[in-house]
Amino acid sequence: MDIKKQLQRYFGRYVHFTEDEFECIFEKLQVKTFAKKEFLLEKGQICRYKYFISKGLIRSFYIDEKGTEKITQFAIDNWWLTNMESFVREQPSTVYLQALEESIVYYIQKSELEYLYSKIPKLERLFRIITENMLIAQQRKSDIYLQMKSKDRYEDMVKHLPDFVQRIPQYMLASYLEITPEYLSELRKNRT
Amino acid sequence: MDIKKQLQRYFGRYVHFTEDEFECIFEKLQVKTFAKKEFLLEKGQICRYKYFISKGLIRSFYIDEKGTEKITQFAIDNWWLTNMESFVREQPSTVYLQALEESIVYYIQKSELEYLYSKIPKLERLFRIITENMLIAQQRKSDIYLQMKSKDRYEDMVKHLPDFVQRIPQYMLASYLEITPEYLSELRKNRT
């Protein structure tokens, strides 16, 4: 599918934009293909964009005191990603955003987005809903998974985010779920 | 200050509403005084409201496998709180919301809010911004604090949320920061 059409269809799930409105939004988006392992954002940089993953797989992570990578979020096709505090308050980012596959990513600058909000107020609705969904993903990771046994975290992910489970490398999925790769491999075997 | 005026001033920080628009929003809000220790929401219930704390202190928490209370968020005067996944998807809540002081709380039902969004589109902007701030608070708790040494977590809280540090009982603040109450007490002593 044409990536422009994909974006239009995605927006249409939440808000109906006229052709003119959509064109006006589309004009302000930039697009770039990130190579596997390329960074969208590094720790210490100010996050200038909200990113929309048209196709690919991106992770958000930081490195803890012991040098271990801690994954905080994943995003695949049709997901938005940003470091919200860095973006809103223009502070250095505390996380890295990195492509795990070759990824086609649309992104929009804050000033352009503010301009669009004032020109097309319906866009506020789209981003109100998107931000609610980002908050839900974040709460699921931090509040819900920590309450669950390791086994149940994996089951929950299979149930709620099956596309993610298919695409994310196993050792990274294990890191995200805070279980060992060996145990994850066992859980996968037991399901089949 | 009159609590209606307080709310109007709070809204005015983000969006200018006319007197008529504000009245229309205000009419849809319910208000209740919660006693100390009273629950706004219990685990397993569906969260039907977005809550605005006019005056008071509320915490969001769950109980882990070992029976330990884990605090995920606090909210004081002029903060919003909800369990977003439960509210949006109408699923049972995974957390409790509980008043830690006698608290005056405004709250609004989902259907009323949807009605207001369609009638006063500027309200989308207000809640887009509020949700971004909720996401920032959540990311600060789960991504940023976990990267910091215990000492720095406390310093960060003093810097970013001094009102919270003043009002939250010490042992609960320690729980939130995932440090021992003894260590917190030492950190406080060293600052004075």
Side-chain angles (χ1 to χ4, degrees), chain A residues 50 85 124-125 128 140, chain B residues 85 124-125 128 140:
Chain A
K50 288 191 179 177
E85 184 159 15
E124 295 276 10
R125 180 174 178 82
R128 194 259 304 158
R140 177 159 286 279
Chain B
E85 183 158 18
E124 296 276 10
R125 179 174 179 83
R128 194 258 304 159
R140 179 159 284 280

Side-chain angles (χ1 to χ4, degrees), chain A residues 57-104:
Chain A
L57 174 60
I58 312 290
R59 67 166 173 163
S60 160
F61 73 101
Y62 64 87
I63 297 166
D64 75 4
E65 286 173 40
K66 290 172 192 157
T68 312
E69 290 180 357
K70 295 280 190 178
I71 298 172
T72 57
Q73 293 294 325
F74 290 110
I76 59 169
D77 311 12
N78 285 330
W79 280 69
W80 288 84
L81 194 67
T82 191
N83 181 234
M84 195 57 88
E85 184 159 15
S86 180
F87 179 81
V88 170
R89 306 204 174 137
E90 299 179 11
Q91 290 173 2
S93 172
T94 55
V95 295
Y96 298 84
L97 302 181
Q98 185 190 31
L100 296 177
E101 298 173 1
E102 186 180 276
S103 301
I104 303 168

Side-chain angles (χ1 to χ4, degrees), chain A residues 17 24-25 28 50 80 84 87-88 108-131, chain B residues 121-122 124-125 128-129 132:
Chain A
F17 293 106
C24 178
I25 296 166
K28 296 295 182 191
K50 288 191 179 177
W80 288 84
M84 195 57 88
F87 179 81
V88 170
I108 185 159
Q109 221 177 350
K110 197 170 165 179
S111 55
E112 302 285 17
L113 193 55
E114 290 294 339
Y115 164 80
L116 288 174
Y117 284 145
S118 63
K119 199 167 167 197
I120 308 167
K122 276 187 287 182
L123 199 65
E124 295 276 10
R125 180 174 178 82
L126 181 68
F127 277 94
R128 194 259 304 158
I129 294 168
I130 286 165
T131 312
Chain B
K122 277 186 288 184
E124 296 276 10
R125 179 174 179 83
R128 194 258 304 159
I129 295 170
E132 286 180 353

Side-chain angles (χ1 to χ4, degrees), chain A residues 43 50 60 62-65 72-73 82-85 87-89 91 94-95 114 117-118 121 123-129 131-136 138-140 142-144 146-150 153 160 178, chain B residues 43 50 60 62-65 72-73 82-85 87-89 91 94-95 114 117-118 121 123-129 131-136 138-140 142-144 146-150 153 160 178:
Chain A
K43 188 176 163 172
K50 288 191 179 177
S60 160
Y62 64 87
I63 297 166
D64 75 4
E65 286 173 40
T72 57
Q73 293 294 325
T82 191
N83 181 234
M84 195 57 88
E85 184 159 15
F87 179 81
V88 170
R89 306 204 174 137
Q91 290 173 2
T94 55
V95 295
E114 290 294 339
Y117 284 145
S118 63
L123 199 65
E124 295 276 10
R125 180 174 178 82
L126 181 68
F127 277 94
R128 194 259 304 158
I129 294 168
T131 312
E132 285 180 353
N133 288 338
M134 290 168 106
L135 182 60
I136 288 170
Q138 183 81 42
Q139 288 186 333
R140 177 159 286 279
S142 53
D143 299 353
I144 304 182
L146 293 180
Q147 295 187 52
M148 289 181 175
K149 294 183 183 165
S150 343
R153 282 178 222 160
H160 285 97
E178 298 184 37
Chain B
K43 188 177 162 169
K50 287 190 179 177
S60 160
Y62 65 87
I63 297 166
D64 76 4
E65 287 174 37
T72 58
Q73 292 294 325
T82 191
N83 182 235
M84 195 58 86
E85 183 158 18
F87 179 80
V88 170
R89 306 204 174 139
Q91 291 173 2
T94 55
V95 294
E114 290 294 341
Y117 285 144
S118 62
L123 199 65
E124 296 276 10
R125 179 174 179 83
L126 181 69
F127 277 95
R128 194 258 304 159
I129 295 170
T131 312
E132 286 180 353
N133 288 337
M134 291 167 107
L135 182 60
I136 288 171
Q138 184 81 42
Q139 287 185 334
R140 179 159 284 280
S142 53
D143 299 353
I144 304 183
L146 294 179
Q147 296 188 49
M148 289 180 176
K149 295 187 180 158
S150 344
R153 282 178 222 160
H160 285 96
E178 299 186 35

Side-chain angles (χ1 to χ4, degrees), chain A residues 154 170-171 173-174 177 179-192:
Chain A
Y154 176 67
Q170 282 213 42
Y171 74 98
L173 189 60
L177 295 172
I179 62 183
T180 64
E182 294 74 24
Y183 187 51
L184 178 62
S185 153
E186 212 176 288
L187 289 174
R188 292 181 86 125
K189 243 180 275 164
N190 292 344
R191 283 185 62 90
T192 53

Side-chain angles (χ1 to χ4, degrees), chain B residues 7-24:
Chain B
L7 199 67
Q8 196 165 14
R9 189 170 298 186
Y10 167 82
F11 282 9
R13 276 199 229 164
Y14 303 110
V15 179
H16 176 75
F17 294 107
T18 65
E19 284 291 330
D20 282 359
E21 285 167 344
F22 179 76
E23 283 302 328
C24 179

